[in-house]
Amino acid sequence: MSAIRALPWQQAAWSQLTRARTQSQLSHAWLVSGTHGVGKRAVVAALVASLLCEHTQADGSACGDCKSCKMLLAGGHPDAHLLCLDGHLGLAANASLQREDGITHWQPDKASKRREISIDGVRSLIEGLGLASHRQGNKVAVIAPAEDLSRASADALLKTIEEPTANTFVVLIADQALSLSATLRSRCQQLRLGLPPPDAALDWLQTELPAQDRRSLQAALDLARGAPLTALAQLQDSATPPAIAWRAALDAIASGRGDPMKLAAEIDDDTAIAFLHCCQGWLADRLRAQLGTTAALNGTRVAELNRELHDAHRRLDSNTRAQLVMEAMLIGWVRLLASQAAPSPQSPPMQSRAR
Ligand SMILES: [Zn+2]
């Protein structure tokens, strides 16, 4: 079994945590926040595992092999707690932090709509954390997403966070830290995770999905706005994420073979924003690929293509039908790309090449 580590681009965050721990200054309450899909649960799983592991590695990571690590991986560690919409459960060191067959301390009434983490769940957690450690070590609770806490639940949690029992750590995970109450935020040490550099995200995706070609990974990453775990989920979800098909269609349009009306007809109100992000990524990718070649798009054309994109964004905001917006934008692009392709003494022609 290998060590339980944070993701490759989370080393700075990991160092911050381990440094605090080595200096015995690890806060008893953490708020880990960042864009959806940036890997918050991965760094939290690594932290929890490290706090419970009986043989931590030199870099502070959990060994993955001791009895505590094995119980944690199976969602069966008695000192690892997860509070979420599904209830007060055993925490598992995996991507979702929970296991179907792990410990169940408390579950909400199945008939309830379960749109928030109820106060009964928080009470169950507080009771669990109040017991002595089963393994004479740390006790850890993760609340995810913390935005799901009801107001009463968040209030009930404050005392536990302010006056924790010995060796007790509580970690809140939130996409939007600001949506939590100021009081709750002020009681936690904050760790904010940013998006990884694009190359690091691509390299990681390639390691996760070695059979995928890099262009597909780039397309999925563009669609996920740079969030690697969202991109991975999309790629695993379906063999052909729409971004890949969209990029192929944009390539065809740029080379004069594609049909902008047909592509526009595929975009609806739900996918319009993702499509515009895909167009942005496609344009940036094309520019990167052409840097230093004689076939580069000239600066004026780039600005005009970008202006069409911004116009499309603005018109979507004003509630114009997505398909009409996309038709107008793509026809504008076809016009601009065609005029770019016409040879002129000032600017070399853009090579039409399917990429
Ligand atoms: Zn271990």
Side-chain angles (χ1 to χ4, degrees):
M1 194 69 74
S2 55
I4 304 168
R5 291 207 156 84
L7 295 166
W9 61 87
Q10 298 175 333
Q11 281 319 302
W14 185 250
S15 300
Q16 186 185 338
L17 292 169
T18 46
R19 199 165 43 244
R21 195 175 168 202
T22 321
Q23 297 167 351
S24 301
Q25 288 174 343
L26 191 66
S27 170
H28 285 268
W30 283 86
L31 169 56
V32 178
S33 64
T35 306
H36 184 76
V38 79
K40 298 183 292 294
R41 287 171 190 243
V43 78
V44 169
L47 173 65
V48 169
S50 167
L51 286 166
L52 297 172
C53 176
E54 290 154 19
H55 303 291
T56 48
Q57 310 284 288
D59 67 352
S61 302
C63 72
D65 213 27
C66 68
K67 187 150 189 212
S68 267
C69 282
K70 282 181 175 159
M71 282 198 291
L72 184 65
L73 287 163
H77 197 301
D79 296 321
H81 304 260
L82 173 68
L83 183 61
C84 60
L85 283 180
D86 291 331
H88 172 202
L89 311 169
L91 180 70
N94 63 24
S96 71
L97 299 178
Q98 70 183 95
R99 281 275 289 249
E100 288 272 340
D101 52 353
I103 296 174
T104 301
H105 299 282
W106 174 86
Q107 275 191 304
D109 181 359
K110 292 266 191 274
S112 76
K113 289 184 182 160
R114 294 160 63 197
R115 288 202 186 124
E116 56 183 19
I117 298 174
S118 77
I119 192 149
D120 289 336
V122 172
R123 286 189 183 125
S124 171
L125 176 69
I126 292 171
E127 196 179 313
L129 290 176
L131 302 172
S133 161
H134 290 75
R135 295 187 59 76
Q136 288 75 50
N138 291 318
K139 294 172 283 179
V140 191
V142 173
I143 301 173
E147 290 102 324
D148 287 340
L149 285 164
S150 70
R151 197 189 167 112
S153 300
D155 288 347
L157 200 62
L158 282 176
K159 192 162 180 295
T160 302
I161 290 178
E162 284 165 358
E163 298 164 22
T165 49
N167 303 326
T168 302
F169 298 88
V170 178
V171 185
L172 283 77
I173 299 180
D175 288 354
Q176 301 287 339
L178 285 174
S179 63
L180 304 181
S181 78
T183 321
L184 190 55
R185 272 184 282 132
S186 69
R187 301 298 188 276
C188 300
Q189 180 143 3
Q190 295 210 30
L191 179 67
R192 173 146 184 90
L193 300 177
L195 287 172
D199 284 350
L202 264 183
D203 289 347
W204 176 77
L205 280 173
Q206 190 76 77
T207 315
E208 292 295 308
L209 303 170
Q212 283 274 1
D213 69 276
R214 213 161 163 91
R215 276 188 54 218
S216 310
L217 301 177
Q218 178 68 63
L221 199 58
D222 289 340
L223 190 68
R225 301 178 199 184
L229 283 94
T230 307
L232 179 66
Q234 280 164 357
L235 286 160
Q236 287 173 331
D237 227 23
S238 142
T240 315
I244 294 169
W246 290 342
R247 279 195 167 229
L250 289 171
D251 285 342
I253 287 171
S255 66
R257 292 177 287 109
D259 179 352
M261 303 299 271
K262 183 165 172 281
L263 178 56
E266 290 173 18
I267 314 301
D268 59 23
D269 292 342
D270 291 336
T271 52
I273 293 290
F275 176 70
L276 288 182
H277 278 280
C278 176
C279 292
Q280 250 156 356
W282 178 87
L283 188 55
D285 193 31
R286 209 173 162 86
L287 287 170
R288 265 196 301 275
Q290 291 177 340
L291 276 180
T293 74
T294 53
L297 288 167
N298 73 40
T300 312
R301 283 292 173 274
V302 173
E304 286 169 333
L305 289 164
N306 244 328
R307 195 173 311 126
E308 296 279 349
L309 259 174
H310 284 297
D311 275 354
H313 259 295
R314 190 176 44 72
R315 294 184 63 205
L316 273 184
D317 289 344
S318 65
N319 282 332
T320 314
R321 246 182 77 214
Q323 186 181 341
L324 296 176
V325 174
M326 298 314 153
E327 278 176 13
M329 188 197 82
L330 290 170
I331 288 167
W333 271 27
V334 167
R335 183 174 43 77
L336 289 164
L337 290 164
S339 64
Q340 164 87 24
S344 78
Q346 288 79 30
S347 58
M350 185 182 81
Q351 270 178 4
S352 297
R353 56 194 171 107
R355 293 187 49 250

